[in-house]
Amino acid sequence: MLYHIRHILLRAVVALTLCMATTACNDGDGEDAIAMEDVRVAFTLSVADASSTRSANEGWDNYDPKQPGIEDENMINTDDLRIAICDGMGNIIGDVETIKVIPVSDPSGTIYAITGVWKNAKDNIARAQKIMIVANSNASKLSTISLSDLAYNLDTGIRKYIPMWGVASLPTLTLGTQTDLTEQIYLLRAMAKVRVDMRSDMASYGYSIGSMHINNYNTQGYCLPKNYKSANKTQDIRFDNSLNVLNSREASIGLTDGKATYIPEYDNTSTGATPSTITVDLNRNGKHEGTYTLEFRNYDTDGKPTGTPYDIQRNHYYTFLIYKEDGKIIVSLHVRKWNKRVYDEDIIM
């Protein structure tokens, strides 16, 4: 049975405090005093719906879930977190610096209390319309490249954290006062998740998966969706026109039976695109039984592909369940937004 994934996006519950005064913002003259033209930001970043407390491992490299969608793939590298203030067009007008992150114990999951300073904000505070978060994306590179060019390498077996991005609208900010942003910020994963399982009863008939590969995949991906600038909140991002593929195609990457593989977005639908497929070698009683090709598309009841292929899209979870019935290998394909079911198909081969 395929698992139902509970969350599409990571929820960042934000209580945003910006304050400014003529000399300092009610912090006296101590270490936490705010300079005359600075803005201090304080908020909580929460990974909601986590199934357990923070695990002992430090990153995604040790990811080996008993159920897909657990906390490890939600983790934030607090040393790689950029918080930016943007204008209405999504252009960065200021950065939150001197960021302090304190983990807070909470039954619902991992919560981080974050504070930082928007320095020299006076000249731009009237233009502030959005707050944008870029996580796990080597954001230090943004000093030399633009947001739209921010990319990551797949680095199979090395990468610890999934790159993420989110945005929310800011209310009108007033100098010298405290502003609380109560709207939730959602973080969107920049990778897709692919998994192939064999139905549990197949083992009792002597079947096992010998090897599997994804044929045609990208080794690099963009951290932000294509239309990030136009979004006032992460939920504004839709599937259409948001695919942001960084063409870096390689021939093959291995899959492990019952474990997830994470890959960048891939274009399966454009004219002339080289389709991405999955090759599965099936064994029975230790001997090779057959090789089967799975496609990211619909199939009819006769096993013939029909309709438009599915792009491999960020924050989507593609699961294939293999079983044999009436002499045919049947694959149940489920495509979900990592918690919300989009469509299901039965593939007969």
Side-chain angles (χ1 to χ4, degrees), residues 90-142:
N91 301 306
I92 294 178
I93 59 174
D95 277 298
V96 177
E97 304 176 55
T98 320
I99 299 173
K100 298 180 180 179
V101 182
I102 301 175
V104 178
S105 177
D106 184 88
S108 65
T110 302
I111 294 180
Y112 303 96
I114 301 177
T115 60
V117 176
W118 178 17
K119 296 182 178 180
N120 302 313
K122 182 178 180 180
D123 292 341
N124 288 313
I125 196 168
R127 299 170 54 207
Q129 299 292 320
K130 305 176 185 180
I131 182 169
M132 192 175 294
I133 296 176
V134 180
N136 306 339
S137 302
N138 196 4
S140 60
K141 295 188 296 184
L142 288 175

Side-chain angles (χ1 to χ4, degrees), residues 15-63:
L16 178 65
T17 304
L18 299 105
C19 54
M20 181 178 293
T22 305
T23 56
C25 185
N26 297 325
D27 287 294
D29 298 323
E31 180 182 353
D32 293 332
I34 304 173
M36 184 182 303
E37 294 188 353
D38 292 352
V39 174
R40 184 164 64 203
V41 179
F43 61 92
T44 57
L45 185 67
S46 173
V47 180
D49 294 332
S51 58
S52 62
T53 57
R54 185 181 178 90
S55 55
N57 61 302
E58 287 298 315
W60 187 40
D61 52 341
N62 292 326
Y63 177 67

Side-chain angles (χ1 to χ4, degrees), residues 261-315:
T261 293
Y262 301 85
I263 54 176
E265 291 185 304
Y266 190 88
D267 180 5
N268 268 333
T269 59
S270 294
T271 302
T274 303
S276 181
T277 61
I278 298 176
T279 298
V280 179
D281 286 319
L282 192 64
N283 296 334
R284 187 174 189 187
N285 298 322
K287 295 182 179 180
H288 185 252
E289 190 273 344
T291 299
Y292 303 92
T293 300
L294 317 181
E295 298 187 34
F296 292 86
R297 64 188 304 178
N298 291 333
Y299 278 70
D300 61 24
T301 55
D302 294 325
K304 297 179 180 179
T306 181
T308 304
Y310 307 142
D311 289 322
I312 298 176
Q313 202 152 12
R314 69 182 60 218
N315 210 72

